[in-house]
Amino acid sequence: MNRTKLIDIAEDWFYQQDWKPFPFQKQTWNAFLQGKNGLLNAPTGSGKTYALWLPIVLNYINENPDYKTKHKPGLKAIWITPLRALSAEIKQAASRVADDLDSKMTVGVRTGDTTASERTKQKTKMPDLLITTPESLQLLIATKGYEKIFGSCTAIIIDEWHELLGTKRGVQMELALSRLKSVAPKMRVWGISATIGNLELAQKVLLGNETEALENSVLIKANIHKKITVKSILPAKIDSYPWRGHMGLHLMREVAKIIKSSKTTLIFTNTRSQCEIWFQALLEKYPEFAGEMAMHHGSIARETRVWVENAIKNEDLKVVVCTSSLDLGVDFAPVETIIQVGGPKGVARFLQRAGRSGHQPGKESVIYFLATHAMELIEASALKNAAEKNIIEDRVPYLNSYDVLIQYLNTLAVSDGFYPDDIYKEVQQTFCFQNITADNWRWILNFITNGSQSLERYDEFKKVEIDEAGLFKINSRRTAMQHRMQIGTIVSDAVLSIKFVSGGYIGFIEEWFASKLQKGDTFVFGGKKLEFYALKNMQVLVRKASVKRTAKTVSWMGGRMSFSAQMSEMLRAELYAANSGNMTPELKALEPVFSRQKKESIIPNDNQFLIEKFKTREGFHAVFYPFEGRFVHEALASVLSYRISLLLPITFSLAYNDYGFELLSDQEIDLESVFDNNLFTADYLHEDLQQSLNATEMARRKFRDIAVISGLLFTGMPGKFVKTKHLQNGSQLLFEVFRDYEPDNLLLQQAYIETFEHQLEEGRLLQALERINNQEIVVKNCEKPTPFSFPIITDRLREKLSSESLADRIAKMTASYMKV
């Protein structure tokens, strides 16, 4: 059957569904059936899934003319999804195509949620089409005889590739692909992505540095303009808008109006704590939503999350308050409206969430932006502009993630073993390890067999044995079991399950929060008021608490999100536009704030760098405004305070947010004199960062994750996890051993590199300093905190005061300021 005939069959199938194929779908069918690899870029809800399931099934039918009478069992295609929650929908689409075309192909799912009995069945008979996750794929590679399992595979699809690129899960996929391409030489590799800027690089990372694979590949972009309508939720009077975030609850009435006028609304929050607070506040203010409102975040029990997802599809819910747990791919046709609470800090995340509404070809996506404080309206204006111009962030891939490579080699050693020369050639073909040297490779092989130079005396680190033929193999059943249990690159603090004393699983909270609870304490989780009873067998036992009792909201550790580079650039552009009088509705709404800012200081233009100075009872404040994002400001504040301290004896308190940072001291700084000493120079930046931020301490914390991923530390058995403090102590001991006795240890070096490149964003910091050096530095002496400085100051107070006393303090500060 020729290719034209196969594409005709695909088109006919579309017409039977009352659909019309888009050009990008036909392009994908044609390229796949030609045997090409590729990356497909198309908007959310445009039919990307069928662009690849159809040619996969048609290719099998074409290559097996007697498929109806002589079906050949075995794995034909793998579909990788970054989220287990998406697997049911992807399976439904695959089954629909396979059954309608009478292909006789079976469809299966293998994730962490797959039952033991189903996994046992798959050992003897794999489905033809398998939907799985990066971690479950690694577990399959850790299975004896995996080469036979994958040998007949003709395609692997990596869905939502933008979510994996730039993460260690992406490196995990790169390594898996390097092996599977050798095991299954007929396998086509395809990626699917919606929101990503650097598509060409994404394609190269996906396919690796193998020239033949790249030359036999295509990049298909769907020329579909997905209409995204961005609306800002504005109060009647901007004067009443808080100058600092209060969760956005002051606009609850406007939110309720939107909910009531829509079929189904998703309210996205940036954190799980904020999700809990919004759910509770809405329910208390509008009890009529009870029964039609639910909550969805990653710490809630899986059964509850699945129920919520099904209830959305079945139109049983009016509103769902959620986090990024509902960001990706699930097709919620009834969803009409999205509300984003607070700045999402990135364009891609915002557009991904917008795509949850109108999640069908040709449908409009509607998203409301709810700024939690006045300055976030500038973000709203920038996001609206980005949506109109389709500006999306680039994803920066990882390089030389040796911890992931070590885990991968142990995975191969657990299954059938490996010969180093063969695997070295494959690893070199990946983007991540394209520059790996022979010396690096020998160090890694020595590490997995002898535990590296400083650990050679300890047998527990000698995991891999070498047989007479040179095969590297893990023979210890205990080591193999521990490795399989710890496969993955997502490292978080230890979590404890929450259960009612009477029985019934609710979800999980982090160990650090649970350790602070005393018997009788009340907290809110999953929309329920719970009373802590006891901590037993790594489980938090609770009872239902009295409704009248006050309760704390569960909080989770983890750094705050920061602006992406593109978001920072767009924010500055909006600010400069406001200064020139080119005002969007959001910026016009900020006119009272801008007027007061101009009265007390200035709004900088693109040639100016603003520094504000003022004195309060706390001391002398110097506030700098690079508008580069929280992480860059944290590093820059530390570098500048360090450089100033070299010139004069002084101590600073630091505060920062996405707009700027504050240096607070008990004596006034003579800024002119420090400017003369090249305060903003990019020279010696790396050395100053090391000195100012105690890079060793930051690298020590980063090393914990590296130690877990590489298998240096074992996190424990199910239900018997090693406590976080014990993991931290263990990793610190290893870190100090390597630092003192083996400074060239690749994992130690990786900890420092990741600290500077990923946590401190040294590259962006360097660019920021170069930009500032080309601007006019404007120092304004102010009488009081300005609207721009107010959120930064109150962020510092937030660390010192409880939420109640902080709200009172901010109210007094605002009242005092507004009188002026």
Side-chain angles (χ1 to χ4, degrees):
M1 199 183 302
N2 63 39
R3 194 165 63 252
T4 303
K5 178 64 175 173
L6 292 171
I7 293 175
D8 287 342
I9 294 173
E11 285 193 64
D12 289 342
W13 184 84
F14 255 65
Y15 292 134
Q16 289 168 19
Q17 320 303 317
D18 291 327
W19 301 338
K20 183 180 178 182
F22 287 112
F24 84 84
Q25 291 168 321
K26 296 167 76 170
Q27 283 179 271
T28 306
W29 299 340
N30 187 56
F32 186 94
L33 292 170
Q34 282 181 303
K36 291 186 179 294
N37 308 303
L39 176 64
L40 170 60
N41 171 242
T44 298
S46 60
K48 299 186 295 292
T49 306
Y50 291 114
L52 280 159
W53 272 137
L54 268 166
I56 287 171
V57 174
L58 288 172
N59 182 67
Y60 170 73
I61 291 174
N62 188 51
E63 292 186 351
N64 299 274
D66 55 352
Y67 69 93
K68 289 189 178 181
T69 56
K70 295 182 180 179
H71 176 69
K72 296 179 181 178
L75 192 59
K76 312 293 189 305
I78 308 166
W79 192 287
I80 303 294
T81 171
L83 283 181
R84 289 182 282 185
L86 304 180
S87 56
E89 186 174 317
I90 297 167
K91 180 184 178 183
Q92 187 179 35
S95 299
R96 188 175 188 177
V97 173
D99 293 345
D100 286 358
L101 296 180
D102 196 22
S103 67
K104 310 299 181 186
M105 300 178 86
T106 57
V107 184
V109 174
R110 189 183 183 99
T111 69
D113 295 330
T114 303
T115 62
S117 60
E118 182 63 24
R119 288 199 298 270
T120 302
K121 289 178 185 177
Q122 291 177 357
K123 279 185 180 179
T124 55
K125 187 179 180 182
M126 287 293 288
D128 298 301
L129 308 175
L130 178 69
I131 296 102
T132 189
T133 61
E135 292 76 18
S136 291
L137 179 65
Q138 291 285 329
L139 281 167
L140 282 171
I141 294 174
T143 304
K144 294 186 188 303
Y146 74 91
E147 291 189 18
K148 186 178 179 181
I149 294 173
F150 293 107
S152 59
C153 188
T154 59
I156 182 165
I157 316 298
I158 295 86
D159 204 351
E160 309 285 1
W161 176 232
H162 57 278
E163 283 295 317
L164 297 174
L165 184 65
T167 69
K168 290 188 178 182
R169 295 180 85 200
V171 177
Q172 194 179 41
M173 275 309 310
E174 288 184 62
L175 291 167
L177 289 171
S178 74
R179 182 86 280 259
L180 294 182
K181 283 189 283 188
S182 296
V183 170
K186 293 183 179 180
M187 187 179 73
R188 301 161 176 83
V189 178
W190 279 79
I192 300 177
S193 181
T195 48
I196 192 169
N198 49 340
L199 284 168
E200 288 76 13
L201 181 60
Q203 180 184 11
K204 188 174 182 180
V205 177
L206 175 70
L207 299 176
N209 293 319
E210 191 179 346
T211 305
E212 186 179 341
L214 283 168
E215 288 179 349
N216 186 39
S217 69
V218 292
L219 174 57
I220 296 175
K221 300 179 184 179
N223 293 317
I224 299 174
H225 178 67
K226 174 73 171 175
K227 186 177 181 183
I228 299 176
T229 299
V230 182
K231 301 179 180 180
S232 294
I233 303 174
L234 300 173
K237 288 186 177 181
I238 200 69
D239 289 340
S240 63
Y241 219 106
W243 287 359
R244 184 195 176 278
H246 291 278
M247 298 291 181
L249 296 174
H250 58 287
L251 290 173
M252 192 183 300
R253 180 181 298 177
E254 284 78 1
V255 169
K257 290 177 183 176
I258 295 169
I259 293 170
K260 291 175 181 177
S261 63
S262 299
K263 183 188 296 183
T264 304
T265 300
L266 299 184
I267 300 177
F268 277 102
T269 61
N270 290 331
T271 66
R272 286 170 283 185
S273 297
Q274 195 176 20
C275 180
E276 295 272 355
I277 291 169
W278 259 93
F279 179 86
Q280 203 67 29
L282 271 172
L283 198 59
E284 289 176 2
K285 186 76 173 178
Y286 300 95
E288 63 267 28
F289 288 155
E292 293 184 304
M293 184 169 69
M295 189 190 320
H296 192 291
H297 62 66
S299 293
I300 293 173
R302 175 183 171 268
E303 292 76 15
T304 304
R305 284 185 278 120
V306 171
W307 177 87
V308 172
E309 291 160 17
N310 290 332
I312 297 173
K313 292 178 183 178
N314 297 332
E315 302 184 36
D316 293 332
L317 291 172
K318 186 79 174 168
V319 56
V320 176
V321 187
C322 56
T323 63
S324 56
S325 59
L326 284 184
D327 267 5
L328 299 180
V330 182
D331 182 9
F332 295 136
V335 174
E336 284 185 344
T337 306
I338 305 295
I339 298 174
Q340 167 67 44
V341 177
K345 309 304 179 187
V347 179
R349 184 181 295 111
F350 185 71
L351 296 182
Q352 188 80 36
R353 291 176 175 181
R356 298 303 97 215
S357 77
H359 195 268
Q360 290 171 309
K363 290 289 184 72
E364 176 188 12
S365 294
V366 179
I367 182 166
Y368 288 84
F369 185 94
L370 192 161
T372 61
H373 60 81
M375 292 289 284
E376 279 189 337
L377 284 174
I378 305 174
E379 293 180 50
S381 183
L383 288 166
K384 184 181 288 188
N385 190 23
E388 291 173 356
K389 296 179 179 178
N390 197 30
I391 299 172
I392 304 172
E393 290 95 349
D394 295 341
R395 300 293 175 107
V396 181
Y398 268 79
L399 291 173
N400 299 324
S401 293
Y402 295 119
D403 52 346
V404 184
L405 178 56
I406 288 167
Q407 184 185 105
Y408 168 69
L409 293 179
N410 283 330
T411 295
L412 296 181
V414 159
S415 54
D416 299 322
F418 68 92
Y419 291 101
D421 290 347
D422 296 338
I423 300 302
Y424 182 47
K425 293 174 185 175
E426 294 175 4
V427 168
Q428 283 181 307
Q429 295 301 318
T430 66
F431 185 90
C432 183
F433 299 103
Q434 57 186 302
N435 296 318
I436 189 171
T437 66
D439 287 342
N440 294 153
W441 183 248
R442 281 191 291 271
W443 187 93
I444 289 168
L445 294 178
N446 184 68
F447 181 85
I448 63 176
T449 53
N450 296 313
S452 84
Q453 175 188 331
S454 54
L455 298 176
E456 287 182 345
R457 295 185 180 180
Y458 302 93
D459 291 340
E460 64 185 285
F461 300 109
K462 300 176 182 179
K463 298 182 178 182
V464 179
E465 300 174 24
I466 311 171
D467 70 10
E468 296 177 355
L471 181 73
F472 280 53
K473 188 89 167 63
I474 288 179
N475 295 313
S476 164
R477 291 183 64 185
R478 181 172 179 271
T479 300
M481 178 190 67
Q482 288 184 349
H483 175 75
R484 288 191 177 99
M485 290 172 58
Q486 203 161 291
I487 282 179
T489 61
I490 301 174
V491 181
S492 61
D493 290 304
V495 293
L496 308 176
S497 60
I498 310 172
K499 281 191 171 184
F500 284 116
V501 174
S502 57
Y505 173 64
I506 307 169
F508 61 85
I509 56 176
E510 290 178 359
E511 178 193 330
W512 77 273
F513 182 83
S515 66
K516 298 179 182 296
L517 294 174
Q518 302 290 330
K519 188 172 182 177
D521 283 355
T522 305
F523 62 96
V524 176
F525 179 88
K528 302 180 179 69
K529 280 192 176 180
L530 305 172
E531 180 185 324
F532 176 68
Y533 176 72
L535 182 61
K536 188 176 182 181
N537 297 327
M538 299 299 283
Q539 292 180 341
V540 178
L541 301 180
V542 298
R543 294 170 169 158
K544 285 186 178 180
S546 167
V547 178
K548 295 181 180 179
R549 291 187 63 180
T550 57
K552 61 181 76 174
T553 301
V554 174
S555 55
W556 286 262
M557 292 290 280
R560 300 179 187 180
M561 294 188 294
S562 178
F563 280 156
S564 65
Q566 280 88 344
M567 191 69 204
S568 297
E569 188 175 338
M570 294 189 69
L571 185 94
R572 289 195 298 273
E574 292 298 314
L575 197 64
Y576 301 150
N579 206 13
S580 64
N582 185 12
M583 307 282 265
T584 63
E586 289 78 13
L587 297 180
K588 287 179 181 176
L590 276 173
E591 188 57 44
V593 175
F594 286 154
S595 295
R596 186 167 288 275
Q597 175 68 23
K598 290 176 181 177
K599 180 181 177 182
E600 301 294 330
S601 177
I602 65 165
I603 298 175
N605 60 37
D606 57 350
N607 294 318
Q608 294 175 319
F609 179 71
L610 173 64
I611 303 173
E612 294 176 345
K613 294 175 63 180
F614 49 86
K615 185 179 183 299
T616 69
R617 65 181 183 180
E618 292 178 296
F620 295 89
H621 305 255
V623 186
F624 301 69
Y625 298 98
F627 298 99
E628 278 285 358
R630 183 183 185 87
F631 294 161
V632 173
H633 294 160
E634 179 181 0
L636 188 54
S638 298
V639 168
L640 295 190
S641 61
Y642 169 71
R643 288 175 174 177
I644 294 171
S645 69
L646 295 177
L647 300 173
L648 63 151
I650 192 169
T651 302
F652 291 108
S653 293
L654 309 181
Y656 26 78
N657 66 7
D658 281 313
Y659 309 105
F661 61 89
E662 173 202 49
L663 304 183
L664 172 64
S665 62
D666 60 0
Q667 63 187 84
E668 189 172 7
I669 312 169
D670 182 359
L671 288 177
E672 295 298 332
S673 65
V674 296
F675 291 159
D676 292 339
N677 284 276
N678 296 320
L679 180 65
F680 294 106
T681 181
D683 296 340
Y684 307 107
L685 174 61
H686 187 78
E687 293 81 356
D688 289 350
L689 268 175
Q690 286 182 305
Q691 293 295 325
S692 64
L693 275 167
N694 192 354
T696 298
E697 181 58 37
M698 297 180 76
R700 183 184 279 112
R701 292 198 294 269
K702 180 69 69 176
F703 181 77
R704 192 202 79 168
D705 293 354
I706 291 171
V708 170
I709 292 170
S710 63
L712 274 172
L713 294 174
F714 181 55
T715 53
M717 306 289 286
K720 295 182 179 179
F721 295 109
V722 176
K723 289 186 176 181
T724 302
K725 65 178 180 180
H726 293 158
L727 282 178
Q728 195 66 45
N729 290 340
S731 69
Q732 286 185 12
L733 178 61
L734 289 168
F735 180 90
E736 288 164 8
V737 168
F738 293 155
R739 183 193 60 189
D740 296 340
Y741 301 102
E742 195 182 345
D744 60 348
N745 184 293
L746 292 184
L747 297 181
L748 178 72
Q749 293 176 2
Q750 182 184 338
Y752 280 100
I753 290 170
E754 287 187 9
T755 297
F756 284 104
E757 291 185 0
H758 297 281
Q759 185 170 343
L760 297 177
E761 298 191 82
E762 187 176 4
R764 280 184 65 188
L765 178 56
L766 182 64
Q767 291 176 343
L769 285 172
E770 290 173 349
R771 177 174 59 81
I772 292 168
N773 273 314
N774 290 320
Q775 292 177 312
E776 175 196 357
I777 298 176
V778 179
V779 180
K780 299 296 292 185
N781 292 297
C782 307
E783 293 296 321
K784 286 191 173 185
T786 65
F788 280 14
S789 67
F790 195 82
I792 303 173
I793 294 171
T794 51
D795 257 11
R796 175 168 44 76
L797 293 175
R798 185 173 180 267
E799 305 299 325
K800 299 179 179 179
L801 305 172
S802 68
S803 58
E804 292 82 10
S805 58
L806 175 60
D808 293 342
R809 178 74 182 276
I810 290 173
K812 289 177 184 177
M813 289 172 67
T814 306
S816 172
Y817 189 78
M818 295 302 286
K819 289 177 183 177
V820 179

